[in-house]
């Protein structure tokens, strides 16, 4: 009995109908949906045991404690640590996205490399560690053999006083070169001011946790100043305890918008306002008379040892900073100046802080002194909620380096660009000296954790100066912009892959030293910088070898931390917050070096809360007081080319490039790194379309100014400065001061990966700048621009 | 006698064939499909939960309640994360010496010889592994929510023999997630572990907020 076509169809229809009353189609649909989640190209974390590790973040110098979630040895998530005294659970977007920097091959130098394309293109070829070390050592040996060791220079962007930085400096000295160069950022300026006014060569701390009134002269508290982890956490605390934040800044930044009061000041005139307020307080007699009498030098007029009368700070204020004049300079009302003075007067624990944005761009030394002079006359030094000037960390010194004959000869040469007060040369001065000289001044430049091509104002000058350096070696783990100019790369491990250290987290109000053992082994063929230096020194022989008689980098760190164990202080995470004054902390130290080292690595921090014993009121300046009239500057008047006696005082100095046009002021963001640290792709997602759209970068302009110039939202324009031309787009923003345009920093990279490279333009490059006489920093806020529509 | 007309005859045959197709499909869908969908994987060795959970027969596994005894081996780490299937090191807290078994079973001897003596982890199949995109916190449910282990894992803790692990050939996940009834219907809370089951329980317990996407799909 055959089945005809109709019957066959009925059989099939029966089957189809039947299958729908079974779970098969529904279950299959579900399974197939799940199957698609497991396609091999769908990214999933590796399988393995979940673990957790505690560490610190060193992407900026904020010193945040972090928690890592690991699957076996792979980091999968970063969170903040509640138990860490510095940030108490605060963390910034960069810190959270840090893992993307590690596992991204295009972001890293995965092995030693040598340049194959033209400089600045970032084309490299993999080479072995042996070849890389041989190339470097041959070159360095050649210099020493010809008694030209002074033709080596090092640009050091490592944290101040860190063991790696100490080793770089030591290497240079033992090698025989005086050319130790640093980028002058606000940290360097603060250290310079600390030295000038308090006689202390170390960081300045801000005891913000104990303050009840924060008068901020441009400090981008919510943009990354002082380490976002700490400040974000603090911001909440301030709100709870009703502390008041006043932001003095020309643009409605995040900080300005969220502060209790925003003082929209003409850019670059903050020092005039500070001195105007100081004058007001002095005139009213509402400054701290006791403190000023006892601990301050140069406040009133005085007679020196030679019998000459000098005007004091007080007379200077009275003559030059009358409210009407200050109002004229700053564009503020006289009433504003007076009301801030009254608020300061009324506050119990006021603090005055400064910095333009994150603190990566420097302010002038004199203007920093001017703003800080408010703290001085109010007696806010070494007091709870005030400025702490002794937050350096008591690490042990290494034995002095051994100088062989070649080194001694080399060290007799003057440093290129001159030595600053802090014992290093400003990169800006160094670059200018290279440009001006007809002779080749440097043969080999070594670069450590620094990306000045991206971040130094007027970096176009540096770009030109680098052309005069025959051989550049980068030790960066990341393909940063400056490393694109390198001829040879000996990549360091990235953070979390190595023993990380941070003496003195930026701006912290008490002494602290953060440290962490490697969390996981190096992902690529990189080598810890400290170990590379030791290895190179050993192979150079002579003085360098003797100066580096260490087994490895870790041993050097162990030697240095002994100083911490000997000092009072604690490695134990206590219940009381470390910023509380006068608490008796359990040190957690056993006296056994091995145990204490392990304890330190476990808590990741050594710290010393402030106490009330008055120790911090002893100032090692020449006058043994806080100096408003600087005897140090007086002694260095000639080399620093300071002019009149007013240059020895805090003061306001106008800055202008002499051109007509709008003022260009760069700005920074908490969710975008604008320094050496690259940006994880996550952060690219957080940038609004009116800041960066595809490859176009926008500047902000007040709608009124835009109208005058005939500019509309989204227009394409050419922006011309004295140093060059960039193409940007227009974004109208009510929060921009009329007459000023604001452009974001950290874009227009030539290095890194597809998510960052070529996005927007690099503003730093074309910022005009003028040299600060004391610190050698490029002062950048006087850039005028001409805008043409295209 | 009346004869069935030809056209009706053909229709009758058609309906029979329809029924055959229908029935065949039912057999395929309800019987053959589950047999084909899951592959069978016996566990590497047996583990007698019933024995270990009985304080009369096994001492050393402490706890006043059943849940505490479960947690003795399936423990929370110090940081609050859940250890899941115990590692060998947990077993060797008691079974430390490969040469002296604590009981008389041949399974234990085999276990000591194969795993303890060689310091080798037992490659258990996990009945309850959820996809990677699902975040689940044991501590939130057991400690904060005060759930019994049974609520989700049924009588697993009182079994003498570990069931054969059945792996879905398409998804790669355990059969316990969909549940043993291929229909997907359930009688007990522990019969299924699909997203709807989580959501249903959250709702019943008055935690409907926890049904927001990001609570579990972080
Ligand atoms: S503030 Fe700095 S240290 Fe803290 S998480 Fe962010 S990048 Fe890391």
């Amino acid at each position: 009995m055959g089945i005809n076509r109709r019957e066959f169809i009925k059989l099939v229809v029966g089957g189809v109908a039947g299958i729908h009353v079974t779970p098969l189609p529904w279950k299959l649909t579900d399974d197939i949906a799940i199957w698609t989640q497991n396609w091999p190209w769908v990214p999933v974390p590796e399988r393995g045991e979940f673990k957790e590790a505690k560490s610190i973040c060193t992407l900026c110098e904020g010193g945040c404690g972090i928690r890592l979630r690991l699957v076996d040895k792979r980091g999968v998530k970063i969170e903040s640590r509640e138990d860490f005294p510095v940030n108490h659970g605060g963390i910034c977007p960069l810190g959270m996205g840090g893992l993307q920097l590690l596992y991204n091959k295009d972001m890293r130098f995965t092995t030693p490399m040598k340049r194959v394309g033209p400089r600045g293109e970032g084309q490299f070829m993999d080479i072995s560690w042996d070849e890389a070390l041989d190339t470097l050592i041959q070159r360095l040996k050649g210099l020493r053999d010809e008694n030209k060791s002074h033709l080596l220079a090092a640009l050091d962007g490592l944290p101040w006083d860190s063991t790696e930085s100490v080793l770089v400096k030591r290497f240079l000295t033992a090698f025989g070169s005086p050319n130790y160069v640093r980028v002058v950022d606000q940290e360097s300026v603060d250290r310079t001011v600390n030295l000038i006014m308090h006689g202390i060569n170390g960081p300045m701390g801000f005891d913000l946790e104990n303050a009840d009134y924060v008068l901020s002269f441009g400090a981008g508290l919510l943009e990354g100043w002082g380490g976002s982890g700490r400040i974000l956490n603090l911001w909440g605390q301030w709100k709870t305890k009703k502390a008041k934040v006043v932001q003095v800044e020309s643009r409605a930044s995040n900080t300005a918008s969220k502060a209790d009061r925003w003082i929209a000041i003409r850019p670059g005139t903050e020092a005039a306002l500070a001195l105007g307020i100081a004058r007001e307080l002095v005139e009213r007699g509402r400054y701290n008379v006791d403190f000023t009498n006892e601990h301050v030098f140069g406040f009133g007029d005085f007679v020196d040892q030679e019998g000459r009368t000098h005007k004091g700070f007080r007379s200077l204020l009275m003559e030059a900073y009358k409210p009407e004049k200050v109002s004229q300079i700053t564009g503020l009302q006289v009433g504003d100046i007076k009301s801030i003075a009254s608020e300061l007067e009324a506050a119990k624990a006021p603090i005055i802080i400064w910095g333009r944005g994150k603190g990566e761009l420097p302010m002038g030394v004199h203007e920093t002194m001017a703003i800080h002079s408010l703290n001085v006359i109010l007696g806010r030094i070494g007091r709870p909620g005030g400025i702490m000037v002794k937050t350096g960390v008591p690490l042990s010194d290494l034995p002095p380096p051994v100088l062989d004959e070649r080194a001694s000869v080399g060290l007799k040469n003057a440093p290129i660009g001159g030595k600053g007060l802090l014992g290093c040369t400003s990169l800006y001065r160094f670059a200018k000296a290279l440009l001006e000289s007809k002779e080749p001044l440097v043969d080999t430049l070594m670069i450590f954790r620094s990306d000045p091509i991206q971040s130094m104002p007027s970096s176009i000058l540096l770009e030109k100066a680098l052309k005069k350096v025959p051989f550049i070696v980068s030790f960066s783990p990341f393909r940063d912009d400056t490393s694109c100019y390198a001829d040879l790369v000996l990549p360091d491990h990235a953070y979390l892959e190595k023993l990380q250290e941070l003496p003195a987290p930026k701006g912290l109000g008490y002494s602290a030293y953060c440290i962490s053992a490697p969390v996981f082994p190096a992902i690529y063929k990189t080598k810890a910088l400290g170990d590379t230096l030791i290895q190179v020194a050993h192979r150079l022989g002579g003085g360098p070898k003797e100066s580096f008689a260490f087994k490895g980098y870790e041993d050097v760190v162990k030697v240095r931390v002994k100083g911490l164990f000997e000092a009072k202080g604690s490695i134990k995470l206590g219940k009381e917050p470390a910023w509380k004054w006068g608490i008796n902390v359990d040190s957690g130290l056993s006296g056994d070096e091995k145990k204490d080292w392990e304890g330190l690595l476990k808590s990741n921090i050594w710290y010393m809360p402030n106490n009330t014993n008055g120790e911090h009121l002893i100032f090692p300046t020449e006058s043994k007081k806080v100096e408003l009239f600087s005897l140090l500057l007086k002694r260095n008047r000639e080399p620093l080319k300071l002019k009149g006696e007013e240059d020895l005082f805090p003061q306001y100095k106008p800055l202008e490039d002499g051109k007509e046009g709008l003022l260009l002021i760069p700005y920074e963001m908490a969710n975008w790194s604008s320094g050496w640290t690259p940006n994880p792709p996550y952060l690219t997602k957080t940038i609004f379309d009116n800041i960066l759209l595809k490859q176009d970068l926008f500047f902000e302009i007040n709608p009124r100014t835009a109208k005058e110039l005939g500019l509309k939202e989204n227009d394409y324009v050419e922006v011309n400065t004295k140093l060059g031309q960039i193409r940007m787009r227009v974004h109208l923003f009510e929060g921009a001061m009329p007459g000023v345009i604001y452009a974001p920093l950290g874009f227009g990279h030539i290095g890194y990966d597809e998510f960052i490279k070529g996005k927007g333009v690099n503003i730093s490059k074309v910022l005009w700048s003028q040299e600060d006489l004391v610190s050698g920093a490029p002062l950048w806020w006087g850039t005028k621009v001409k805008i043409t529509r295209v | 006698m009346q004869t069935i007309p030809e056209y009706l005859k053909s229709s009758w045959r058609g309906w029979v064939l329809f029924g055959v197709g229908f029935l065949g499909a039912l057999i395929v869908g309800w019987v053959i499909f589950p047999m084909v969908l899951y592959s069978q994987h016996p566990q590497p060795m047996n583990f007698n939960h019933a024995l270990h959970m009985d304080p009369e027969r096994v001492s050393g596994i402490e706890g006043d309640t059943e849940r505490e005894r479960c947690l003795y081996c399936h423990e929370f780490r110090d940081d609050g994360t859940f250890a899941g299937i115990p590692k060998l090191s947990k077993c060797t807290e008691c079974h430390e010496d490969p040469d002296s078994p604590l009981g008389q079973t041949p399974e234990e001897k085999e276990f000591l010889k194969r795993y303890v003596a060689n310091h080798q982890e037992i490659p258990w199949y996990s009945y309850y592994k959820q996809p990677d995109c699902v975040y689940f916190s044991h501590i939130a449910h057991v400690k904060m929510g005060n759930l019994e282990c049974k609520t989700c894992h049924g009588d697993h803790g009182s079994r003498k023999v570990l069931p054969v692990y059945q792996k879905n050939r398409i998804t790669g996940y355990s059969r316990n997630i969909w549940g043993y009834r291929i229909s997907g219907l359930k009688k007990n809370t522990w019969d299924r572990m699909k997203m709807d089951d989580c959501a249903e329980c959250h709702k019943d317990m008055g935690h409907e907020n926890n049904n927001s996407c990001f609570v579990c799909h972080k």
Side-chain angles (χ1 to χ4, degrees):
Chain A
M1 185 183 88
I3 298 180
N4 61 26
R5 198 176 64 93
R6 281 178 161 229
E7 287 164 351
F8 177 73
I9 290 173
K10 283 188 175 148
L11 181 76
V12 172
V13 170
V16 171
I19 215 74
H20 281 83
V21 286
T22 74
L24 188 140
W26 326 113
K27 173 78 172 121
L28 264 187
T29 315
D30 188 72
D31 282 354
I32 288 169
I34 296 172
W35 170 66
T36 61
Q37 292 169 359
N38 292 335
W39 282 339
W41 54 87
V42 176
V44 281
E46 272 164 41
R47 303 234 171 266
E49 197 188 341
F50 279 107
K51 283 186 229 149
E52 208 184 79
K54 286 182 175 175
S55 183
I56 54 166
C57 173
T58 49
L59 290 179
C60 85
E61 278 148 44
C64 295
I66 52 171
R67 251 176 336 127
L68 270 110
R69 203 166 154 75
L70 302 158
V71 175
D72 277 341
K73 286 180 185 143
R74 189 184 167 110
V76 294
K77 192 171 189 207
I78 295 181
E79 286 172 333
S80 68
R81 261 171 83 174
E82 296 278 343
D83 67 342
F84 207 68
V86 179
N87 55 322
H88 286 289
I91 190 167
C92 81
L94 177 64
M96 283 196 278
L99 287 174
Q100 281 196 327
L101 304 176
L102 300 182
Y103 296 99
N104 184 345
K105 273 203 181 107
D106 299 336
M107 201 78 108
R108 303 274 310 259
F109 287 116
T110 50
T111 166
M113 292 190 186
K114 71 176 180 199
R115 182 170 58 82
V116 287
R119 272 199 178 163
E121 296 276 304
Q123 290 164 21
F124 294 96
M125 189 180 99
D126 291 2
I127 53 172
S128 67
W129 268 103
D130 284 344
E131 189 183 338
L133 286 167
D134 287 349
T135 314
L136 177 65
I137 286 157
Q138 220 177 6
R139 188 133 196 143
L140 294 182
K141 264 200 173 142
L143 287 181
R144 272 178 50 96
D145 289 347
E146 289 172 40
N147 260 336
K148 286 184 181 159
S149 59
H150 60 286
L151 296 188
L152 174 70
L155 168 60
D156 180 7
L158 296 156
W160 284 90
D161 306 327
S162 65
T163 303
E164 286 175 326
S165 172
V166 166
L167 288 180
V168 168
K169 209 167 174 183
R170 186 178 181 87
F171 182 87
L172 218 58
T173 313
F175 185 85
S177 167
N179 298 312
Y180 177 70
V181 185
R182 286 193 78 103
V183 170
V184 181
D185 53 8
Q186 190 57 38
E187 167 78 24
S188 315
V189 174
D190 290 353
R191 281 174 180 253
T192 309
V193 169
N194 205 5
L195 187 65
I196 293 173
M197 296 180 76
H198 314 117
I200 295 160
N201 192 348
M204 260 167 132
F206 304 88
D207 188 16
L208 298 167
E209 283 83 350
N210 292 303
D212 69 352
Y213 181 87
V214 182
L215 176 57
S216 152
F217 285 86
L221 288 162
L222 296 179
E223 278 81 32
W225 185 95
S228 291
R230 171 184 174 220
I231 304 289
L232 289 177
N233 180 55
L234 245 175
W235 195 273
Q237 282 179 35
W238 282 336
K239 294 283 151 203
T240 320
K241 68 176 195 188
K242 304 229 160 36
K244 190 167 179 184
V245 181
V246 178
Q247 179 72 354
V248 180
E249 187 178 2
S250 71
R251 171 177 173 264
S253 64
N254 272 347
T255 313
S257 330
K258 297 214 159 60
D260 298 282
R261 186 171 174 196
W262 170 35
I263 308 281
I265 192 173
R266 201 167 281 155
T269 62
E270 294 86 348
L273 173 63
L275 295 171
I277 299 169
R279 185 187 186 280
E280 190 63 29
L281 289 169
V282 172
E283 197 173 39
R284 292 184 200 172
R286 300 308 297 257
Y287 63 102
N288 190 325
V289 181
D290 292 344
F291 183 85
T292 322
N293 286 345
E294 219 173 298
H295 297 292
V296 180
F297 174 74
F299 180 73
D301 299 350
F302 63 97
V303 182
D304 68 13
Q305 284 160 344
E306 288 138 36
R308 267 180 296 177
T309 314
H310 297 267
K311 268 190 193 153
F313 181 64
R314 180 191 187 122
S315 307
L316 213 88
L317 287 180
M318 290 304 153
E319 284 162 24
Y321 298 97
K322 296 208 175 81
E324 297 69 29
K325 181 155 176 227
V326 171
S327 154
Q328 217 178 32
I329 298 173
T330 57
L332 300 172
Q333 307 287 330
V334 170
D336 288 333
I337 303 164
K338 298 202 174 208
S339 71
I340 301 174
S342 306
E343 285 181 7
L344 272 176
E345 233 181 73
K348 278 203 201 79
I351 185 168
I352 293 93
I353 62 173
W354 56 84
R356 296 202 169 97
K358 289 183 183 186
E360 271 154 17
L361 291 177
M363 296 175 70
V365 168
H366 283 95
E367 60 170 349
T368 303
M369 286 165 69
I371 297 170
H372 178 51
S373 70
L374 269 175
N375 287 308
V376 176
I377 62 164
L378 287 170
R380 302 299 299 141
I381 319 267
R383 295 274 157 84
I387 304 283
M388 306 306 299
V389 296
K390 290 181 181 169
T391 50
V393 185
L395 290 158
S396 298
D397 287 331
L398 299 178
V402 181
L403 302 183
D404 57 17
E405 212 187 294
R406 293 212 159 101
S408 308
V409 173
L411 289 172
K412 287 208 181 92
N413 291 280
I416 304 161
K419 195 166 258 179
L421 291 177
L422 297 176
C424 51
T425 304
S426 135
L427 175 66
Y428 185 65
R429 273 193 186 143
F430 178 79
K432 286 215 300 199
L434 290 188
L435 276 178
E436 280 158 18
S437 159
K438 294 218 168 62
E439 305 288 306
L441 295 179
V442 174
D443 173 79
T444 300
L445 172 67
M446 305 195 292
I447 303 177
F448 304 92
R449 196 190 158 105
S450 189
D451 190 8
I453 287 285
Q454 166 60 216
S455 54
M456 189 180 88
S458 317
S459 66
I460 202 162
L461 302 179
L462 179 66
E463 211 177 276
K464 287 184 190 147
L466 288 185
K467 291 208 175 94
K468 293 186 147 188
V469 182
F471 196 63
I472 301 172
V473 190
S474 166
F475 292 80
S476 176
F478 299 118
R479 289 172 178 262
D480 57 67
D481 291 10
T482 310
S483 293
C484 289
Y485 287 78
D487 302 282
L488 181 70
V489 184
L490 285 89
D492 185 7
H493 295 325
Y495 88 130
L496 303 175
E497 297 178 323
K498 64 171 183 178
L499 181 68
Q500 322 173 71
E501 253 196 322
L502 179 69
K506 69 177 170 186
L508 199 67
Y510 52 90
S511 294
Y513 169 88
C514 306
I515 183 168
S516 169
V519 179
F520 36 69
I523 303 161
Y524 306 111
K525 287 188 211 136
T526 53
K527 200 181 254 194
L529 168 63
D531 289 325
T532 309
L533 284 175
I534 293 173
Q535 205 176 343
V536 173
H538 282 194
R539 284 188 50 190
L540 283 174
K545 185 175 176 185
E546 283 176 57
S547 306
F548 280 77
F550 311 111
K551 265 192 258 130
Y553 165 57
E554 189 178 314
D555 288 293
V556 191
V557 179
K558 278 184 179 161
V559 170
R560 297 187 77 221
V561 296
K562 277 185 200 159
L564 303 181
F565 299 155
E566 282 155 19
K568 293 164 277 168
S570 173
I571 57 166
K572 204 167 171 188
L573 302 174
K575 283 202 185 70
E576 294 272 18
W579 46 262
K580 261 202 177 164
W581 279 60
I583 47 167
N584 275 327
V585 284
D586 170 3
S587 77
L589 292 165
S590 66
D592 177 273
E593 247 168 53
K594 200 165 158 260
K595 259 197 198 153
D596 291 343
W597 169 254
E598 281 163 11
L600 179 63
L601 290 185
K602 197 156 170 250
S603 70
N604 302 115
I605 191 165
W606 170 96
Y607 63 98
M608 173 123 62
N610 290 316
N611 52 48
T612 36
N613 63 12
E615 232 174 50
H616 28 255
L617 293 177
I618 304 162
F619 303 97
T621 50
E622 212 175 303
S623 62
K624 301 277 171 278
K625 292 177 173 184
V626 180
E627 294 188 352
L628 285 172
F629 177 97
S630 168
L631 296 172
L632 179 68
L633 288 183
K634 190 171 174 229
R635 255 186 290 132
N636 287 281
R637 216 157 152 176
E638 297 244 312
L640 295 177
K641 301 193 190 91
L642 299 177
K643 288 182 210 105
E645 197 158 289
E646 72 273 9
D647 274 356
L648 310 181
F649 284 102
Q651 62 165 308
Y652 159 70
K653 291 181 171 190
L655 183 74
E656 267 181 26
D657 71 354
K659 277 184 49 166
E660 288 292 305
L662 302 180
L663 195 58
L664 166 62
I665 296 289
Y667 71 88
E668 293 162 307
M669 295 176 277
N671 55 337
W672 195 253
S673 160
S674 41
W676 171 76
T677 314
N679 278 292
Y682 276 154
L683 293 194
T684 314
K685 286 269 176 203
T686 67
I687 301 297
F688 293 127
D689 280 356
N690 53 25
I691 296 175
L692 179 82
L693 185 62
K694 299 225 161 73
Q695 315 296 336
D696 300 331
L697 195 68
F698 289 68
F699 62 74
E700 296 170 350
I701 186 168
N702 189 286
R704 231 167 61 205
T705 316
K707 203 169 165 203
E708 282 162 21
L709 295 171
L711 296 176
K712 289 195 303 298
E713 180 82 17
N714 293 332
D715 276 355
Y716 285 90
V717 292
E718 298 276 9
V719 179
N720 279 285
T721 76
K722 251 186 172 172
L723 294 184
Q725 189 181 60
I726 44 175
R727 206 177 129 98
M728 297 188 75
R729 292 180 73 179
V730 176
H731 170 51
L732 306 184
F733 179 46
E734 294 280 358
M737 177 169 277
V740 185
I741 65 166
Y742 298 88
L745 289 176
F747 293 89
H749 281 282
I750 54 171
Y752 303 129
D753 67 349
E754 54 170 323
F755 299 104
I756 300 177
K757 198 176 187 162
K759 297 233 178 254
V761 284
N762 182 356
I763 307 296
S764 311
K765 215 162 154 176
V766 295
L767 273 183
W768 167 86
S769 58
Q770 192 182 56
E771 186 180 313
D772 184 278
L773 291 180
V774 181
S775 68
L779 308 180
W780 47 269
W781 53 93
T783 312
K784 288 281 175 65
V785 294
K786 262 229 156 62
I787 295 177
T788 16
R789 243 170 83 186
V790 291
Chain B
M1 204 177 132
Q2 226 180 349
T3 49
I4 303 166
E6 223 18 63
Y7 70 93
L8 266 186
K9 215 187 207 170
S10 123
S11 152
W12 172 81
R13 264 171 54 110
W15 279 110
V16 170
L17 281 169
F18 177 87
V20 170
F22 194 86
L23 204 73
L26 291 186
I27 296 172
V28 168
W30 288 96
V31 185
I32 301 179
F33 171 60
M35 276 160 46
V36 177
L37 183 63
Y38 295 106
S39 56
Q40 315 272 324
H41 304 266
Q43 292 283 9
M45 57 172 265
N46 187 37
F47 178 83
N48 188 337
H49 272 99
L51 173 74
H52 285 82
M53 287 290 279
D54 185 349
E56 311 256 300
R57 290 159 72 199
V58 169
S59 62
I61 293 185
E62 290 153 19
D64 298 335
T65 61
E66 195 176 76
R67 184 169 61 178
E68 279 173 16
R69 285 200 294 282
C70 294
L71 286 173
Y72 188 80
C73 297
H74 300 278
E75 64 195 339
F76 287 108
R77 301 190 188 97
D78 290 343
D79 63 0
T81 53
F82 186 63
I85 300 179
K87 292 259 174 232
L88 186 70
S89 57
K90 191 75 211 174
C91 309
T92 52
E93 280 177 19
C94 299
H95 301 269
E96 52 187 343
D97 184 356
D99 297 324
S100 41
L102 303 175
Q104 276 90 43
T105 60
E107 283 137 353
E108 192 200 353
K109 287 203 188 90
E110 182 65 16
F111 158 66
L112 293 173
K113 199 170 100 202
R114 260 184 47 207
Y115 300 108
V116 180
N118 298 329
H119 304 288
Q120 214 192 326
E121 290 292 341
I122 311 164
W124 297 114
Y125 289 101
S126 167
Y127 299 111
Y128 301 107
K129 177 146 184 38
Q130 288 283 346
D132 288 317
C133 56
V134 183
Y135 172 83
F136 178 84
S137 159
H138 271 92
I139 206 158
H141 291 83
V142 178
K143 295 229 164 130
M144 287 154 69
N146 205 19
L147 287 191
E148 290 297 329
C149 307
K150 270 220 243 331
T151 312
C152 303
H153 298 293
D155 63 352
H156 195 69
S158 53
R159 290 210 181 124
K160 287 197 184 112
V161 178
L162 288 176
V164 168
Y165 173 81
Q166 298 196 29
K167 177 174 163 183
N168 186 315
R169 290 182 204 267
I170 300 174
T171 65
Y173 295 113
S174 162
R175 183 166 185 171
N176 294 57
I177 307 299
W178 176 268
Y180 271 77
R181 278 192 205 90
I182 195 71
S183 65
L185 298 173
K186 64 172 188 179
K187 278 198 212 136
N188 307 303
T189 46
W190 56 82
D191 285 346
R192 271 170 49 127
M193 269 196 187
K194 295 283 289 176
M195 185 175 80
D196 289 344
D197 304 297
C198 303
E200 184 186 301
C201 188
H202 283 162
K203 197 170 160 213
D204 292 348
M205 301 290 221
H207 297 304
E208 215 169 345
N209 280 351
N210 288 349
N211 287 344
S212 308
C213 308
F214 268 162
V215 176
C216 310
H217 303 291
K218 289 189 189 284

